[in-house]
Amino acid sequence: MNRQNKTKSMVESALFAAIAVVFALAGIYLPLFAYVLILLPVPFIIIGAKHGIKYNILSVLAASIIIGSMTEPLKALFIIVVVGFNSVVVGYMIEKKFSAGKTIFYGSIASIMASIISLTLLSYISGVNIIQTIEESFKMSNDLYNALLKNIAANPSKIEEVKKSLEYAQNMAIMLVPSSVIFSSIIITYINYIISGAVLRRMGYYIAKPRKFSQFRLPKNILMGTVIILVSTYLVRNLKTIDFETLFANVLYIFFIIYFVEGLSVIWFFLEKRNIGKGLRVFITIILLSIPSMAMIIMFIGLADIIINIRKIES
């Protein structure tokens, strides 16, 4: 790299790192902008895609030091682990011209690993436990609902019903923490890839686009993989080191969501085939999801598509 290109890379890296710092501070100090933190990897992905992994890592470290000095060291550690892992992997794979699917897949793996590491460090350093946090949140909700129902002189049986519902929701939320981390990591990686791609294309940089949602199809061997994982999960039920109920619930939830997304893609495919606009497709999807038990039907549509390839498209 000649001196002029090196200077350009340094200037652009510094500019995007500064943008990331602004995003981070806005998300930390302004509650309305908290969701901006989800997009924090975007500037670093752009740096990595355009100028390579070295500038990506340097910009993450520089931004982390600035954010840590203006907030607290724990937040700087969060930037290095969560944002750094994801942006380095995604930026590198974009630079090397990997397909959108592979980039999102490996970026999601990196994001999952980063989430596990950050949650472990958070628990170790600050003593904050995600399970305890969930329990405290539900306890506050429970107390609020009980007080509200008592104030309006609700039937004691109604109060008991609400209490049982909240207890069930709490147990499920705690039980499904692992699968929730997996899906949130995938969604965040996908969003960051899409936004990074849009910015890079505006800058004249090529980046592969993911398939349209209506063309999404799981690999052909997913069905065999599902059977193997379910059978393996069932076989470990006697191992005392593993909570079988929690493991089985997470495995079922993961496969439910996977086949549900496939089923939703099938529905979008046929709506698109009938030249129904995107806005109307979204509206129809919302209506479908508001119907009780429709999610289960959509999941079975996805399962049927894997078995018989309803749309006749390749994986």
Side-chain angles (χ1 to χ4, degrees):
M1 183 182 290
N2 60 42
R3 188 178 182 83
Q4 186 177 0
N5 287 340
K6 188 178 287 188
T7 302
K8 181 182 177 183
S9 297
M10 291 177 65
V11 171
E12 283 194 0
S13 298
L15 176 62
F16 280 105
I19 292 170
V21 170
V22 173
F23 278 4
L25 294 176
I28 292 167
Y29 289 115
L30 302 173
L32 290 175
F33 291 90
Y35 290 106
V36 172
L37 294 174
I38 293 173
L39 305 178
L40 208 51
V42 169
F44 302 111
I45 290 172
I46 294 169
I47 293 168
K50 287 199 69 183
H51 304 298
I53 194 170
K54 181 179 78 173
Y55 287 96
N56 189 335
I57 293 171
L58 288 173
S59 60
V60 168
L61 291 174
S64 301
I65 292 168
I66 295 170
I67 293 165
S69 65
M70 299 180 75
T71 55
E72 56 187 65
L74 195 59
K75 289 185 173 63
L77 187 62
F78 170 82
I79 301 298
I80 292 172
V81 175
V82 177
V83 176
F85 273 45
N86 184 268
S87 66
V88 166
V89 172
V90 175
Y92 173 81
M93 294 190 76
I94 291 174
E95 183 197 16
K96 299 301 179 184
K97 310 299 182 186
F98 280 86
S99 68
K102 283 186 177 179
T103 303
I104 293 169
F105 175 77
Y106 288 108
S108 298
I109 297 295
S111 185
I112 292 165
M113 290 173 58
S115 297
I116 293 169
I117 293 169
S118 62
L119 288 173
T120 304
L121 289 174
L122 184 65
S123 177
Y124 179 76
I125 295 171
S126 65
V128 176
N129 187 292
I130 188 170
I131 304 299
Q132 291 176 350
T133 304
I134 293 171
E135 287 176 343
E136 288 170 5
S137 298
F138 274 98
K139 186 179 182 300
M140 289 175 61
S141 299
N142 199 359
D143 293 342
L144 182 63
Y145 273 110
N146 284 336
L148 180 63
L149 291 171
K150 285 178 181 177
N151 286 337
I152 62 174
N155 191 310
S157 62
K158 181 68 176 177
I159 296 175
E160 189 63 27
E161 184 183 333
V162 170
K163 185 179 178 181
K164 287 181 179 179
S165 297
L166 286 171
E167 285 177 357
Y168 175 78
Q170 175 183 316
N171 292 334
M172 289 303 295
I174 292 170
M175 192 179 291
L176 297 176
V177 164
S179 50
S180 298
V181 168
I182 291 171
F183 285 120
S184 61
S185 298
I186 294 170
I187 292 167
I188 290 170
T189 301
Y190 179 81
I191 291 170
N192 284 319
Y193 181 86
I194 293 296
I195 294 175
S196 300
V199 174
L200 285 165
R201 278 188 286 273
R202 289 292 297 270
M203 297 172 73
Y205 189 92
Y206 170 78
I207 175 172
K209 288 185 178 181
R211 275 186 173 189
K212 293 195 317 185
F213 181 62
S214 60
Q215 297 291 320
F216 170 79
R217 191 162 190 267
L218 294 163
K220 295 176 182 178
N221 56 2
I222 186 68
L223 197 59
M224 182 59 69
T226 303
V227 173
I228 292 171
I229 291 173
L230 287 175
V231 170
S232 301
T233 304
Y234 183 73
L235 291 175
V236 302
R237 70 190 185 283
N238 293 323
L239 295 179
K240 294 180 180 179
T241 55
I242 298 174
D243 186 335
F244 171 72
E245 187 179 348
T246 299
L247 177 63
F248 196 65
N250 277 279
V251 170
L252 284 180
Y253 180 64
I254 288 170
F255 283 120
F256 174 83
I257 295 297
I258 286 173
Y259 289 116
F260 172 81
V261 172
E262 177 88 10
L264 208 55
S265 175
V266 173
I267 292 171
W268 271 58
F269 175 84
F270 288 106
L271 290 176
E272 196 174 83
K273 201 172 181 181
R274 290 180 174 273
N275 296 319
I276 294 174
K278 188 175 180 180
L280 187 53
R281 293 201 300 273
V282 171
F283 178 74
I284 291 170
T285 302
I286 293 170
I287 295 298
L288 289 174
L289 295 180
S290 66
I291 300 171
S293 73
M294 182 54 71
M296 187 64 70
I297 294 171
I298 294 173
M299 186 274 290
F300 280 116
I301 292 172
L303 184 59
D305 188 53
I306 290 297
I307 296 170
I308 61 176
N309 195 0
I310 299 169
R311 294 170 290 176
K312 307 302 178 188
I313 60 175
E314 292 300 317
S315 300

